[in-house]
């Protein structure tokens, strides 16, 4: 029976691939205001600006390659059941060969109808539309839902929208996990960051980050450094 590793990742995992993080110096939120590009109100106010922001992120995600940390995580699948729970909307883990990736904040290469679970910001009541599909080029203004003819939007979670934390699966995973690894997250955004305490009873816990958020890392073995430095070393020691 393979032992189970749960890996919770944030933007730092993809930083060395060339995708900027959010809160580091010259991060995404220094270039763009969250209120202008990543909230339902921003969407209602200026769909074009939101679509331009995600088109830029779509192209960026396509240009870059998985880094040694993504490949090291994929390598662990040889001897372990590896469940990735990521806040990242890129698909670098999948492109490195990871087969189980939960995208808590959605995926940059998926679109959905603007009425998909978006009722909370529409005054009038509409039946939520469940249309969602993979995209191979950025969404444009005028791209409409084939089911209800409304504008299509990025299938990502904006600030103020609900996150599907898959509580039931998380509850059983919490019991199954033999090892928990946190990598490249400032652990500032809930409910995702709550995962660090969901797995607090996991016997073996590691955290990889050049600037670890020590205040939330009680009981963790902190491996201070970048993902590409530390993840391959950790994977090698676990595969020994
Ligand atoms: N290797 C590992 N970690 C790194 C690296 C690197 N090369 N470079 C930076 N980091 C770390 C930073 O020290 C920081 O702890 O990655 C983390 C990035 O933190 P954030 O920019 O806050 O990104 P993240 O934690 O993923 O943000 C969570 O917030 O804005 C929302 O939806 C967005 O999913 C995102 C969520």
């Amino acid at each position: 029976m393979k032992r189970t590793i749960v890996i919770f990742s944030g933007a730092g995992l993809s930083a060395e691939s060339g995708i900027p993080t959010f809160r580091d110096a010259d991060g995404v939120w220094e270039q763009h205001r969250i209120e202008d590009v990543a909230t339902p109100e921003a969407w209602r106010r200026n769909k074009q600006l939101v679509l331009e922001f995600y088109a830029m992120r779509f192209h960026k995600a396509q240009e870059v390659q998985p880094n040694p940390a993504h490949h090291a995580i994929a390598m662990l699948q040889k001897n372990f059941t590896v469940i990735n729970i990521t806040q990242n909307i890129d698909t670098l883990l999948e492109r490195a060969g990871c087969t189980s990736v939960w995208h808590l904040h959605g995926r940059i290469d998926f679109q959905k109808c603007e009425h998909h679970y978006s009722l909370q910001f529409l005054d009038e009541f509409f039946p939520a539309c469940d249309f969602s599909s993979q995209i191979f080029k950025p969404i444009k203004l005028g791209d409409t839902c084939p089911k209800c003819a409304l504008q299509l939007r990025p299938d990502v979670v904006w600030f103020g929208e609900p996150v599907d934390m898959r509580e039931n699966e998380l509850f059983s995973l919490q019991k199954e996990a033999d090892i928990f690894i946190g990598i490249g997250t400032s652990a500032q955004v809930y409910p995702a960051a709550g995962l660090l305490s969901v797995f607090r009873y996991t016997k073996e816990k590691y955290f990889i980050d050049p600037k670890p958020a020590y205040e939330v890392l009680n009981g963790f073995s902190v491996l201070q450094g970048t993902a590409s430095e530390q993840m391959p070393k950790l994977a090698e020691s676990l595969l020994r």
Side-chain angles (χ1 to χ4, degrees):
M1 184 78 164
K2 284 185 176 181
R3 293 198 301 157
T4 297
I5 300 181
V6 174
I7 302 182
F8 171 51
S9 54
L13 173 63
S14 301
E16 287 157 284
S17 294
I19 296 183
T21 62
F22 293 94
R23 295 173 183 80
D24 286 315
D26 74 8
V28 172
W29 299 141
E30 279 191 7
Q31 319 290 329
H32 305 271
R33 282 170 13 103
I34 289 174
E35 302 74 22
D36 294 341
V37 294
T39 65
E41 294 71 22
W43 177 252
R44 190 164 48 179
R45 196 171 47 247
N46 189 340
K47 291 181 169 61
Q48 181 61 32
L49 180 63
V50 174
L51 290 174
E52 284 167 6
F53 175 65
Y54 284 94
M56 174 270 290
R57 296 182 70 191
F58 180 92
H59 289 307
K60 188 66 179 168
Q62 286 211 313
E63 284 159 16
V64 300
Q65 298 301 324
N67 65 50
H70 296 106
H71 290 300
I73 291 170
M75 191 76 76
L76 283 171
Q77 294 174 136
K78 260 192 330 196
N79 295 6
F80 295 90
T81 297
V82 181
I83 314 285
N84 283 283
I85 306 179
T86 188
Q87 299 169 91
N88 300 338
I89 61 174
D90 65 60
T91 55
L92 290 170
L93 282 163
E94 289 88 342
R95 287 171 53 195
C98 294
T99 53
S100 172
V101 186
W102 303 8
H103 286 271
L104 291 179
H105 294 163
R107 277 177 57 157
I108 190 67
D109 62 338
F110 268 75
Q111 65 185 356
K112 66 182 179 182
C113 177
E114 67 177 333
H115 266 185
H116 198 290
Y117 305 139
S118 52
L119 295 182
Q120 79 271 22
F121 79 82
L122 287 177
D123 306 338
E124 55 283 15
F125 178 77
F126 280 83
C129 172
D130 63 359
F131 177 78
S132 165
S133 71
Q134 190 161 15
I135 52 174
F136 302 94
K137 59 183 178 27
I139 307 162
K140 290 191 309 304
L141 210 52
D143 291 350
T144 52
C145 173
K147 284 192 164 181
C148 63
L150 284 166
Q151 174 66 46
L152 291 166
R153 55 162 278 190
D155 192 350
V156 297
V157 178
W158 287 329
F159 287 89
E161 291 189 317
V163 176
D164 179 3
M165 290 298 288
R166 299 168 61 165
E167 275 84 0
N168 295 339
E169 293 163 87
L170 209 48
F171 185 68
S172 52
L173 200 49
Q174 179 187 41
K175 293 198 289 285
E176 286 159 29
D178 299 295
I179 299 170
F180 177 78
I181 301 171
I183 180 165
T185 180
S186 62
Q188 290 182 32
V189 176
Y190 286 80
L195 284 176
L196 293 178
S197 62
V198 167
F199 289 92
R200 63 186 174 283
Y201 298 122
T202 302
K203 285 176 295 302
E204 247 183 290
K205 296 192 293 289
Y206 303 91
F207 197 89
I208 295 174
D209 198 299
K211 290 178 286 173
Y214 284 102
E215 63 279 7
V216 292
L217 295 175
N218 189 25
F220 279 78
S221 302
V222 176
L223 308 172
Q224 185 160 6
T226 70
S228 289
E229 280 161 18
Q230 296 296 338
M231 190 63 234
K233 280 189 223 165
L234 176 57
E236 195 190 327
S237 68
L238 292 173
L239 288 166
R240 213 171 281 143

